[in-house]
Amino acid sequence: MELDTRVTRAAGTSAGQAQFWKRFKKQKTLHLFVGLGMIFLLIFAYTPMFGILMAFKNYSISMGIKGIFTSEWVGLKHFDEFVNDYQFGTIVRNTLVLSFLKVIFAFPAPILLAILLNEVKNLRYKRFVQTVSYLPHFISWVVVVGIAFAFLSTDVGMVNKALLGLGLIDKPLDILTNPDYFWGLAVGSAVWKEMGWWTIIFLAAIAGINPSLYEAAQIDGAGRLARIRHITFPGMKGTIVVVLILTIGSILGGGLVGSNFEQAFLFGNSINNPTSEIVQTYAFKVGLRDGRFSYAAAIDLVQSVISVILIFSSNYIAKRTSGSSLF
C-alpha cells in the first residue's frame, strides 16, 4: 500500500514538473523579460546597497571599493554630526515644507483633472486636452528651468515685460532669485509638469466603473455633481489610496511629482538658498564637492529610513480605515 502511494506521488510529481516546463517553454519570452528586469534590479538596486556601510565608516574615495569594507568603523558619528550641523533645522524645514506643499497641491490636481475630463463629451477636445496636459512629463527639468527663465527672468522674461507694459508693476519681479517665491515656483512647475501624466492613472480607474451605475443614477434624477460624488469618486477610491501611499512613502523626494532634488538644484542659487537648500542637495554637495562620502551616505540613509517608515505607516492606516492598501 505504501509502495503504491509512493509510486502515485512520484508520478504526480513528474507530471507536475513536465507541465511546469511545458508552460515555461511556452512563456519563455515573458520569462526572458522578467529575468532582464530582475538582473537590472540586482545590479542597480540591490548591489549598491553595500554602500550603506559607508555611513558607519570613515571612508575615503582613495580606498576604492575595497575600502567600503576595510575602512575604520566610526558608528553613528556622521549621523550625530548631521543632526548638530548649524544648517540642520533650515534644511529639514525646507525639505518638509516643499514636500508637504506638493502633497497638498500636486496630489488632488490629477484627480480633479481626470474627473473633469471624464465629464467632457466631445472626444476630440478631450483627447486634445489630455495629450497637451501629459506632454510636459517628457520634458526634462533642465529644459523646464530654461522655459521658466525665458518667462520669469527679470531681464528678458516675457511675464515681467507684459506686466510692466500693462503698468501692473513698477519694477520686474525677481521670481527666480527671491527666497519668498521659491516654494511657489517649485510647486507650480511640478504640478504643470506631472499633473497630466498622473491623470492617465485616474482616468483608467474611472474607465473601470460600470456605466450602468451612471445610467441608473441619471434615471433616478441624480445630477452631474451627485454622480461624481456617489459613483465616480468612490470608484476611484482604491487607486487614490494606492497612489497616496506611494506619494507619502516618497514624500521627502517630492511625492507624486518626485523632483525635489532636480528643482532645488536647478532653480536654487546663492540668493534663494535659505528656502531652496534641502536634504538631497546638501548631501549631493558635501558628497561630491567636499568628498565626504560617508557623511553624505549617512544623510541619505536617514532619509531612506524615514521614507520606509512612512510607506509602511500609511499603508497600515489606509488598510485599517478604508480597506484598501498597497500590500
Side-chain angles (χ1 to χ4, degrees), residues 129-190:
V129 173
Q130 187 176 349
T131 302
V132 171
S133 65
Y134 77 67
L135 280 179
H137 169 78
F138 300 99
I139 303 175
S140 72
W141 276 108
V142 176
V143 177
V144 171
V145 172
I147 295 172
F149 181 83
F151 276 89
L152 304 174
S153 171
T154 55
D155 300 324
V156 297
M158 296 171 59
V159 172
N160 275 315
K161 285 186 176 181
L163 293 175
L164 286 169
L166 293 172
L168 298 176
I169 56 175
D170 299 325
K171 60 179 181 178
L173 300 173
D174 52 343
I175 299 174
L176 296 178
T177 55
N178 193 324
D180 296 334
Y181 291 131
F182 175 76
W183 291 338
L185 175 65
V187 174
S189 59

Side-chain angles (χ1 to χ4, degrees), residues 10-24:
T13 303
S14 300
Q17 291 177 348
Q19 187 177 6
F20 169 80
W21 287 113
K22 183 179 179 180
R23 187 168 62 252
F24 182 87

Side-chain angles (χ1 to χ4, degrees), residues 13 19 31-32 37 40 48 70 93-94 96 177 188-189 199 258-259 270 276 293 298:
T13 303
Q19 187 177 6
H31 287 291
L32 175 62
F40 177 86
T70 60
R93 182 207 64 185
N94 293 342
L96 293 177
T177 55
S189 59
T199 299
S259 56
S270 58
S276 65
F293 294 95

Side-chain angles (χ1 to χ4, degrees), residues 12-321:
T13 303
S14 300
Q17 291 177 348
Q19 187 177 6
F20 169 80
W21 287 113
K22 183 179 179 180
R23 187 168 62 252
F24 182 87
K25 290 179 181 178
K26 187 178 180 180
Q27 300 174 342
K28 59 183 179 181
T29 304
L30 299 176
H31 287 291
L32 175 62
F33 280 106
V34 172
L36 291 174
M38 293 177 67
I39 292 172
F40 177 86
L41 288 174
L42 180 64
I43 295 174
F44 294 102
Y46 288 96
T47 302
M49 290 181 71
F50 287 107
I52 292 175
L53 289 172
M54 286 193 298
F56 305 94
K57 294 197 169 193
N58 193 17
Y59 174 77
S60 173
I61 190 65
S62 60
M63 299 178 180
I65 297 177
K66 185 179 179 182
I68 297 176
F69 306 96
T70 60
S71 54
E72 178 191 3
W73 182 272
V74 295
L76 301 177
K77 174 186 174 182
H78 301 301
F79 298 93
D80 182 67
E81 182 181 351
F82 176 55
V83 172
N84 291 296
D85 191 292
Y86 76 96
Q87 299 182 78
F88 177 78
T90 302
I91 292 171
V92 172
R93 182 207 64 185
N94 293 342
T95 305
L96 293 177
V97 170
L98 183 59
S99 299
F100 278 108
L101 284 175
K102 286 186 176 181
V103 172
I104 293 171
F105 292 101
F107 180 71
I111 300 174
L112 179 61
L113 181 59
I115 292 174
L116 293 175
L117 285 175
N118 184 60
E119 295 300 317
V120 175
K121 303 305 178 186
N122 189 321
L123 292 179
R124 183 174 296 180
Y125 178 73
K126 179 179 179 179
R127 290 170 183 169
F128 172 77
V129 173
Q130 187 176 349
T131 302
V132 171
S133 65
Y134 77 67
L135 280 179
H137 169 78
F138 300 99
I139 303 175
S140 72
W141 276 108
V142 176
V143 177
V144 171
V145 172
I147 295 172
F149 181 83
F151 276 89
L152 304 174
S153 171
T154 55
D155 300 324
V156 297
M158 296 171 59
V159 172
N160 275 315
K161 285 186 176 181
L163 293 175
L164 286 169
L166 293 172
L168 298 176
I169 56 175
D170 299 325
K171 60 179 181 178
L173 300 173
D174 52 343
I175 299 174
L176 296 178
T177 55
N178 193 324
D180 296 334
Y181 291 131
F182 175 76
W183 291 338
L185 175 65
V187 174
S189 59
V191 171
W192 170 78
K193 187 176 185 298
E194 300 294 344
M195 177 176 63
W197 178 255
W198 284 97
T199 299
I200 299 173
I201 306 281
F202 296 112
L203 279 174
I206 294 174
I209 299 174
N210 192 340
S212 63
L213 295 175
Y214 290 101
E215 296 172 2
Q218 195 167 5
I219 292 172
D220 290 339
R224 181 169 292 185
L225 292 178
R227 294 196 297 270
I228 292 173
R229 179 183 176 185
H230 297 289
I231 299 176
T232 305
F233 196 74
M236 300 169 64
K237 186 180 72 171
T239 304
I240 291 173
V241 169
V242 171
V243 174
L244 181 59
I245 292 170
L246 294 174
T247 300
I248 294 175
S250 59
I251 190 173
L252 297 182
L256 194 70
V257 291
S259 56
N260 275 1
F261 171 77
E262 291 167 299
Q263 286 184 296
F265 187 74
L266 295 171
F267 279 119
N269 50 64
S270 58
I271 303 175
N272 64 16
N273 188 264
T275 55
S276 65
E277 188 75 284
I278 59 174
V279 172
Q280 294 95 325
T281 56
Y282 180 70
F284 179 79
K285 291 173 183 176
V286 297
L288 292 184
R289 183 188 62 192
D290 302 337
R292 303 186 62 193
F293 294 95
S294 293
Y295 185 49
I299 296 171
D300 284 332
L301 181 58
V302 171
Q303 179 178 300
S304 299
V305 170
I306 293 173
S307 297
V308 170
I309 293 172
L310 285 173
I311 198 168
F312 275 96
S313 301
S314 58
N315 185 79
Y316 175 78
I317 294 171
K319 193 172 185 179
R320 290 294 299 270
T321 56

